[in-house]
Amino acid sequence: MTTIRPATPADLAAALDIYNAVYPDHAKTLEETEHFLAGLRDNPLQPHVQDWLAEVGGRPVGTARLWQAPWMFHPDRYHLELAVLPEFRRRGIGAALFGTAQRHWQGRGAREVLAGAKETEADALPMLERQGFREVMRFFDNVLRLDGFDAAQWEAEMRLPEGVRAATFADLQTELGEEAAWLAYYACQTEARLDVPRTAPATHTPFEEFVKHRSQPRLVPENIWLAVTEGSEVVALSELWRDSSDPARLNIGLTGTRRAWRRRGLGLALKLRGMVQAQQHGIREIWTSNASNNAPMLALNDRLGFRRQPAHVECQWGGAEDRRA
């Protein structure tokens, strides 16, 4: 018999085991997930989050989460994540979890829900379509095997223009002090992220929320490369994050440049420095994700040797017309 119930904090490890079994390429640790949920609870926007667990004979076999993202927030926009263990699919468990989440968002007056699945998941996307969802964007994982990366071919692209130098975030903390370094990093990241393709406009992140990255388990200050002017202004960045489950893998976060400094090769130069550093430290793979409409970045990653994986297809139900930036 299948039962579906609201999940409790004691269920988090079981739900995470299901998620990691379904999405092994994006596996998360319990520490990372607890940090993420604490960030939602403490955020001044008070984003909603609700989890459910599906059990068969008392065994956890499926999980669903309906939540709101503070970084692209609207009070009527929600995100749905749903996972069922492969051996328990086609028994109506996914549909039951979806129906439970759907009744919940209807009760809250949701006007928009974003959900998705890999293009290779033959059942999930048609199910979303039947429920009134439509495709709005695709995101490609891109994977670079560093054993085939030849840094010597990119020496010219690693040079920065006069008046700008490369430094890691760890270097900047040593030079400026921790608080000033975080402020400089924040100023660049805040502007650069505005133009990242996404399914809804970016929400402003206050500095007080941004510096909570200090306790982010994936943060390695030595893996964040910055372009710094003679006046200690950060004008470009390329972030590499520790992978939760694979010590031989790094994941690119944001690579971006402040608007006044674009088209000078800063982002590429920093990205290359991170790749060289990773190769020297024995990292096997670097992963990144790019939206289907970000043609310049997809083309650049193709040049660098990244290989595209099957796309994650993001689908939307409804629409919060008065979206707030």
Side-chain angles (χ1 to χ4, degrees), residues 144 146 149 222-223 225 240 247-251 271-286:
L144 176 69
L146 286 173
F149 174 66
E222 291 81 4
N223 290 350
W225 282 90
L240 279 169
R249 166 179 161 180
L250 293 175
N251 301 306
K271 192 169 186 173
L272 287 164
R273 278 172 166 77
M275 291 161 58
V276 171
Q277 179 191 55
Q279 189 178 52
Q280 292 172 343
H281 285 81
I283 297 298
R284 183 185 69 254
E285 291 180 342
I286 293 179

Side-chain angles (χ1 to χ4, degrees), residues 48-209:
H48 181 73
V49 59
Q50 175 63 55
D51 292 322
W52 295 272
L53 198 68
E55 297 173 314
V56 173
R59 176 187 172 183
V61 299
T63 181
R65 171 173 293 158
L66 188 72
W67 60 288
Q68 294 177 305
W71 51 88
M72 44 186 280
F73 185 79
H74 186 287
D76 299 323
R77 176 184 299 119
Y78 294 80
H79 300 256
L80 174 64
E81 296 176 358
L82 193 154
V84 177
L85 291 175
E87 62 267 33
F88 285 89
R89 293 178 184 172
R90 301 194 175 186
R91 302 188 190 185
I93 296 170
L97 279 166
F98 182 92
T100 299
Q102 185 180 50
R103 289 188 290 274
H104 187 79
W105 82 59
Q106 288 172 342
R108 292 185 59 83
R111 295 166 56 201
E112 180 180 329
V113 179
L114 294 164
K118 286 286 187 185
E119 60 183 340
T120 52
E121 295 186 77
D123 296 331
L125 293 172
M127 185 271 288
L128 288 173
E129 185 177 351
R130 289 194 299 272
Q131 296 295 331
F133 284 74
R134 62 190 180 278
E135 179 180 334
V136 290
M137 193 174 288
R138 294 189 172 213
F139 295 89
F140 293 96
D141 280 331
N142 293 274
V143 183
L144 176 69
R145 295 276 308 184
L146 286 173
D147 56 5
F149 174 66
D150 182 6
Q153 297 181 5
W154 296 93
E155 287 184 3
E157 286 81 359
M158 278 192 274
R159 300 192 190 105
L160 291 169
E162 186 177 352
V164 182
R165 61 188 173 87
T168 69
F169 185 48
D171 294 333
L172 199 67
Q173 288 176 305
T174 300
E175 294 169 13
L176 303 182
E178 185 169 354
E179 198 70 12
W182 275 100
L183 282 166
Y185 176 22
Y186 170 74
C188 180
Q189 208 263 11
T190 297
E191 182 175 326
R193 68 184 283 267
L194 292 176
D195 299 317
V196 174
R198 64 184 81 235
T199 49
T203 302
H204 175 70
T205 301
F207 177 69
E208 294 75 18
E209 290 300 307

